[in-house]
């Protein structure tokens, strides 16, 4: 599961768990704090989203109309001194806030993390796919 710089890999996985917890709470501020300023999010069936503020706006719109619960498993986390890559699979339940029926999908994810100028790990590229 972990390879390369094991301490860095564990740090990144802990941040990824914090991301999932914030996502499941709908805590956009906590989510956004984990992204690099120049992040590119690559959601399925949607144009790429460039920049932390654009990702925040997209998340706010999504969370305004839906509640989400995600279970995420990392199959591998490989880290070097300044870069880390993780990939795995996910299960996502989406519930409309208007009382509609929940939908659960499965998918895959990959995140590239990098250290910023202050040495903090930030998600730099975030891509996922889902299948119903």
């Amino acid at each position: 599961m972990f390879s390369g710089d094991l301490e860095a890999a564990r740090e990144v996985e802990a941040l990824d768990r914090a991301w999932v917890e914030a996502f499941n709470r709908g805590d956009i501020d906590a989510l956004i704090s984990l992204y690099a300023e120049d992040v590119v999010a690559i959601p399925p069936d949607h144009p790429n989203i460039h920049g932390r503020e654009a990702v925040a706006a997209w998340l706010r719109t999504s969370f305004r109309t839906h509640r989400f619960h995600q279970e995420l498993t990392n199959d591998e986390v490989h880290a070097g001194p300044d870069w880390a890559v993780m990939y795995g699979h996910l299960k996502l339940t989406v519930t409309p806030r208007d009382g509609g029926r929940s939908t659960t999908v499965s998918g895959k994810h990959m995140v590239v993390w990098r250290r910023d100028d202050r040495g903090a790990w930030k998600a730099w590229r975030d891509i996922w796919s889902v299948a119903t």
Side-chain angles (χ1 to χ4, degrees):
M1 175 179 208
F2 295 123
S3 60
D5 181 334
L6 298 182
E7 182 179 335
R10 286 184 181 100
E11 289 173 15
V12 168
E13 185 169 65
L15 290 170
D16 196 55
R17 283 192 308 270
W19 188 97
V20 170
E21 290 168 7
F23 183 83
N24 288 342
R25 287 190 317 268
D27 187 342
I28 305 242
D29 292 334
L31 284 170
I32 288 304
S33 74
L34 297 169
Y35 283 109
E37 284 289 332
D38 59 345
V39 64
V40 178
I42 308 167
D45 301 324
H46 190 282
N48 293 354
I49 306 167
H50 295 265
R52 186 177 0 195
E53 292 308 314
V55 171
W58 182 71
L59 287 169
R60 283 187 188 96
T61 299
S62 298
F63 278 89
R64 195 173 303 123
T65 58
H66 294 84
R67 285 186 305 278
F68 300 92
H69 180 81
Q70 184 176 93
E71 297 172 27
L72 188 126
T73 303
N74 289 312
D75 297 329
E76 182 178 7
V77 181
H78 178 82
D82 296 319
W83 291 87
V85 177
M86 64 176 41
Y87 73 88
H89 53 280
L90 60 91
K91 184 169 131 182
L92 178 67
T93 300
V94 181
T95 305
R97 289 194 182 270
D98 67 3
R101 186 177 184 156
S102 295
T103 303
T104 300
V105 296
S106 298
K108 302 174 200 172
H109 76 98
M110 178 177 277
V111 181
V112 178
W113 296 80
R114 69 174 186 187
R115 289 193 194 267
D116 66 13
D117 294 340
R118 295 183 314 261
W121 287 106
K122 299 292 180 180
W124 182 61
R125 299 294 184 261
D126 188 5
I127 184 169
W128 63 100
S129 65
V130 293
T132 55

